[in-house]
Amino acid sequence: MTTGIPAPLHLMRAGLRMLPAPALRLVLRRISASLPRNHPDLVRRLVRVAPGRYLFEPTDLTQRFLLCIGDGGVILTLAAPGEAADAAMRGKLAMLIDLLEGRLDSDTALFARDIIIVGDMNRAVAFRNILDGETINLVGDFLARFGPLAPPLGRAAARLHRRVDAARRRLVGVRDRVHRAAHHGHDPNEDLARTGAQIDDLRHRVGQLERRVRRAPETT
Amino acid sequence: MLTLGPLMLNWEAARRRDFYARIADEAPVGCVHLGEVVCSKRAPFTDRDLPAIAERLRAGGKEVVISTMALVTSKAEMRAVEEMLEAGFLVEANDVSCVHVLAGRPHAIGPLVNVFNEGTLAYLARMGAIRVAPPPEVGIDGLGVFARAEPGVEIEATVFGRLTLSVAARCYHARAYGLHRDNCQFVCAREADGMPVETLDGEAFVVVNGTQTMSHGYAAAIADLPRLREGGVRRFRLMPQDVDMVRIARLFDDALGGRTGTDEAMAQLRAACGEVPFVEGYAHGRPGREWRGQDRLPDRLLH
Amino acid sequence: MTPRYLELVCPAGTPAALRTAVEAGADTVYCGFRDETNARNYPGLNFDREEMAEGIRFAHAHGRHVLVAINTFPRPGQVALWHRAIDDAAALGANAVILADIGLLDYASGHHPGLRLHLSVQAAASNTLSLAFYRERFGIRRAVLPRVLTVKEIGALVERMGVEAEVFAFGSLGTMTEGRCILSSYLTGRSPSSDGVCAPAEHVSLSEEDGEMVMRLGPLTMNRFGRDEPAGYPTPCKARLVARGIPSYLFDEPVGLNMIELLPELKAAGVTALKIEGRQRSRAYVAQVVRAFRATLDALDRDGRAPRIDLSAIAEGSKETLGAYRKGWR
């Protein structure tokens, strides 16, 4: 699944290791404050469907994080030692981030033993399912809130993301025509043959762009 | 009325004949189900002595109903159903394919057909179902809803014995013996009351009977009989287990007839069933394996 | 004979997954309402009426279809909830509803004669007679076949069943006959048939004991996994159990079904649609599986063969099987 750790995550992990607790608390507070602005639907649904206290325990860090979802909204803080929670998720930081940002399927991670979830499974499942409804960018948010590196990195990544999106939209458009043909009783094979090359070309280009996105932080 | 359900276990021919001879002569049941429900490989053996056993039971004044396979897989099995109909037996369907064949004629529906609500019940009644024994998940309240919704259909509750929890194409009995179903050596005949299956921590889980899993304990719904009756349930099914079924039938008959009280009947039932635990959860809308009855089994057996 | 187009039917547990599936190349997406009328009734999952309307609009705008799964069995005295689900799916323009219960099939065919009916795998119709029952009485147009048939048996059945055949291509498969297993409610009180959940999350617990991951369902231990041993779902049919003193996967191992290599055979057998299981899983799963199947189907159409795509990492138990599609499974 996640092969190798992308550079932004390295930065984030380094940041988490180096930052003194008060500074880290400030960053977390700012991320918490930005959530209702950037993801109002997500926050509303989390509060309604998955209220509770969720502990995140990266096995490769000394800190643990507590996400409180309740009437006060969604608040991310550093967890105190022995902090009580409804459910806890344990695994490498990269895994936890991939899960939270929707890149990794939590069942897959559980099957592979990359994570373990303990506590109230009903809440944990609700939390996971609600979170999966929207794309959030924790690493980006984190980096955007500390360090001079953030702006150029963010701009480069955004540019590439836009190009990937455009290419993907074209691919979906081609695909739509095939499906219309298939569902309306035309011979889809004919259509497929005609558009096959086009799809291949687009897929190739999307692949290239995606690889560049992955490499982006190193190349900027 | 008390009914003796189909024998789900693989007992050898001699034992089967003796068992039904005693039922015919001594058990206070009005109706006995015959026919292989579990495994197509057992069917040729079960079918061979079926006519003689049916004759014996009829001579003893019992109605004989033929229960069909839970998973119909071959044309031969459907032909067997047709033959039973021609021979004048009432047939109980345990699979939708069989319902299709029986439609338009009076027939019964067994617990392995998904009759979960009054909509399905009404449809099946229109097609000729005159008796329906719903699956275990339909508890006492649900049976009451059924009886009120279709007064013309006799609703039957399973009140004693192991409950079937799943059916499959795969044989777990053969797997436990390191065998394949095609070459199973009929290892399911080695356990007269099913093969106990435990968790890694030694908790009782289920009993395997060939391709089916069954409850690790027996249903023992003596205390529920009054409520079932009030709800309109007219028939009470006892599933044959490796215990004295004549004694079990008498005990339920006495409880139904008001000749013994619930506590006394429960104590007698407990004594008749050795160390096998009881279960009752489904009847009350709780996890099926639960038992809160008053027989006070030692804790280790309640796990 | 030119082999027919194989329709790729993909899961969507959330509106986001629906969009992901469409973008990844699904022909058809199936989903359910947010209640016990569908067989993936897990917290935080599924669609309210507004989301369903929006999802159907989105899919239709892209020329794709949406099937609404109403594939549980209504409880006694509560059928109204299920009837409303059918009415709403029809009103919102669903391309078909997926049903299992006889009473619901009767209701839908009577009240919505124009609505296309698919028979859910929960009805476990695996022979011509049961399929004839549903076809002749309710006019079903398609049946999802249980995962117990070999490819050869599927081919023979397709010729005689008189409705379209949809088969499972990928995902977690139970070994028990679908719709006829109540092991989950035996332990927890809730089951796929009535509640739309197997091994409901509120009865599942995971813990770490001496490096082992212990998985419990209700009061019972379903499994203990060694330090790096791949895990599966806490469903009773994947439990590690002891029979005759020997611990084993008595019913079935925790493995995921993947018959991507059998696609040419299924196509030749006359199958209409391929179903990807997994409405309980995330967008990442949907994207990965749908893309792999899309690429393979396209390559098969173009070249008659396709490079093998490895999906084992996302399969249950991190391991794949052809299940019953190859003889010997029983």
Side-chain angles (χ1 to χ4, degrees), chain A residues 18-212:
Chain A
M18 289 178 327
L19 278 183
L24 191 51
R25 281 200 195 91
L26 187 70
V27 171
L28 295 177
R29 203 176 307 144
R30 286 190 180 152
I31 291 179
S32 304
S34 73
L35 277 173
R37 241 189 350 264
N38 299 339
H39 305 281
D41 287 348
L42 179 68
V43 168
R44 212 174 35 245
R45 294 186 63 204
L46 281 173
V47 170
R48 200 179 66 228
V49 182
R53 294 159 63 83
Y54 303 89
L55 206 54
F56 296 89
E57 308 181 349
T59 49
D60 45 353
L61 285 179
T62 49
Q63 299 101 329
R64 303 183 314 153
F65 303 88
L66 183 71
L67 190 73
C68 294
I69 303 172
D71 292 337
V74 177
I75 296 163
L76 185 61
T77 56
L78 274 180
E83 185 93 57
D86 296 302
M89 213 180 275
R90 221 168 284 150
K92 288 215 169 92
L93 178 69
M95 287 291 164
L96 297 179
I97 295 287
D98 275 353
L99 282 175
L100 292 170
E101 295 192 346
R103 273 189 305 278
L104 176 62
D105 173 70
S106 62
D107 291 357
T108 300
L110 200 70
F111 297 155
R113 305 293 302 280
D114 287 332
I115 59 156
I116 182 167
I117 303 167
V118 297
D120 183 341
M121 293 300 280
N122 207 43
R123 267 182 227 254
V125 168
F127 172 75
R128 187 276 308 258
N129 288 335
I130 298 292
L131 199 68
D132 199 49
E134 214 166 303
T135 305
I136 56 170
N137 184 359
L138 275 176
V139 179
D141 278 3
F142 182 84
L143 291 180
R145 276 165 182 78
F146 93 107
L149 271 176
L153 266 181
R155 274 198 302 277
R159 226 170 20 242
L160 274 169
H161 273 297
R162 273 198 301 278
R163 290 176 62 185
V164 171
D165 277 350
R168 187 163 277 148
R169 269 199 301 279
R170 282 200 295 280
L171 184 59
V172 172
V174 172
R175 176 67 55 204
D176 289 352
R177 290 206 292 281
V178 178
H179 293 277
R180 286 215 175 78
H183 282 310
H184 288 97
H186 305 301
D187 180 5
N189 293 318
E190 209 177 291
D191 230 32
L192 274 171
R194 204 169 340 111
T195 51
Q198 210 179 342
I199 291 175
D200 272 353
D201 177 49
L202 283 167
R203 186 178 292 120
H204 178 69
R205 283 158 63 186
V206 170
Q208 273 184 328
L209 285 166
E210 278 178 337
R211 275 192 293 282
R212 283 181 61 194

Side-chain angles (χ1 to χ4, degrees), chain B residues 38-39 41-42 167-188 195 208-212, chain C residues 175 250-251 329-330:
Chain B
V38 179
C39 180
K41 291 188 69 178
R42 297 180 190 168
V167 303
R170 200 177 229 190
C171 180
Y172 307 121
H173 231 123
R175 264 171 81 85
Y177 281 84
L179 298 168
H180 190 268
R181 189 175 176 193
D182 292 343
N183 177 31
C184 68
Q185 299 171 28
F186 294 97
V187 288
C188 57
M195 176 177 66
V208 156
N209 172 36
T211 55
Q212 303 197 345
Chain C
T175 167
L250 182 62
F251 305 140
W329 177 82
R330 282 171 203 162

Side-chain angles (χ1 to χ4, degrees), chain B residues 230-250:
Chain B
E230 280 163 31
V233 173
R234 312 236 282 274
R235 304 175 72 91
F236 303 92
R237 179 175 297 204
L238 314 172
M239 296 303 288
Q241 305 296 155
D242 185 23
V243 292
D244 183 348
M245 288 305 294
V246 170
R247 185 175 167 197
I248 302 284
R250 285 186 182 142

Side-chain angles (χ1 to χ4, degrees), chain C residues 1-276:
Chain C
M1 183 186 92
T2 325
R4 63 191 308 167
Y5 183 79
L6 265 182
E7 179 183 329
L8 188 55
V9 182
C10 304
T14 61
L18 182 145
R19 291 189 294 274
T20 301
V22 165
E23 280 164 14
D27 295 292
T28 300
V29 179
Y30 65 102
C31 40
F33 290 120
R34 191 171 293 143
D35 54 32
E36 60 267 49
T37 61
N38 87 89
R40 288 290 184 280
N41 178 26
Y42 294 95
L45 223 56
N46 296 314
F47 294 61
D48 64 24
R49 267 35 179 193
E50 210 172 295
E51 289 165 340
M52 188 67 84
E54 177 51 35
I56 290 173
R57 262 199 303 276
F58 178 86
H60 286 180
H62 286 273
R64 321 302 172 82
H65 285 186
V66 174
L67 314 178
V68 178
I70 307 171
N71 53 349
T72 50
F73 298 87
R75 280 186 289 265
Q78 295 175 30
V79 292
L81 178 71
W82 279 260
H83 288 176
R84 207 154 55 236
I86 292 172
D87 297 343
D88 291 347
L92 295 174
N95 297 90
V97 288
I98 309 173
L99 305 177
D101 181 62
I102 290 172
L104 291 186
L105 285 156
D106 183 35
Y107 175 86
S109 60
H111 288 73
H112 302 282
L115 183 61
R116 194 179 152 97
L117 306 183
H118 290 188
L119 187 68
S120 165
V121 72
Q122 294 295 317
S126 58
N127 58 51
T128 42
L129 277 172
S130 24
L131 287 161
F133 174 86
Y134 294 107
R135 184 186 69 234
E136 289 172 19
R137 291 169 195 282
F138 311 116
I140 61 157
R141 305 280 294 280
R142 179 184 292 184
V144 183
L145 299 180
R147 294 162 266 193
V148 297
L149 302 164
T150 63
V151 175
K152 206 169 155 220
E153 288 167 336
I154 290 172
L157 194 55
V158 165
E159 280 177 21
R160 291 173 297 138
M161 62 194 268
V163 296
E164 298 169 356
E166 181 171 311
V167 301
F168 276 92
F170 191 91
S172 281
L173 78 166
T175 167
M176 310 303 182
T177 306
E178 283 91 350
R180 297 170 81 180
C181 174
I182 54 174
L183 285 171
S184 176
S185 63
Y186 191 59
L187 301 187
T188 71
R190 299 177 77 211
S191 74
S193 7
S194 300
D195 307 281
V197 281
C198 184
E202 73 270 22
H203 292 279
V204 173
S205 73
L206 301 181
S207 60
E208 282 174 318
E209 295 176 14
D210 307 324
E212 285 183 332
M213 180 169 83
V214 185
M215 209 172 231
R216 289 199 177 80
L217 180 64
L220 301 190
T221 302
M222 293 289 101
N223 215 329
R224 289 174 170 272
F225 297 99
R227 195 171 293 277
D228 289 313
E229 192 185 2
Y233 283 121
T235 50
C237 66
K238 303 287 177 71
R240 188 146 30 193
L241 299 166
V242 181
R244 306 182 59 239
I246 306 160
S248 74
Y249 285 114
L250 182 62
F251 305 140
D252 206 3
E253 289 176 44
V255 288
L257 171 77
N258 182 5
M259 36 64 59
I260 201 161
E261 65 182 75
L262 298 183
L263 290 185
E265 290 176 52
L266 286 169
K267 207 166 170 171
V271 166
T272 298
L274 298 173
K275 188 177 199 110
I276 310 285

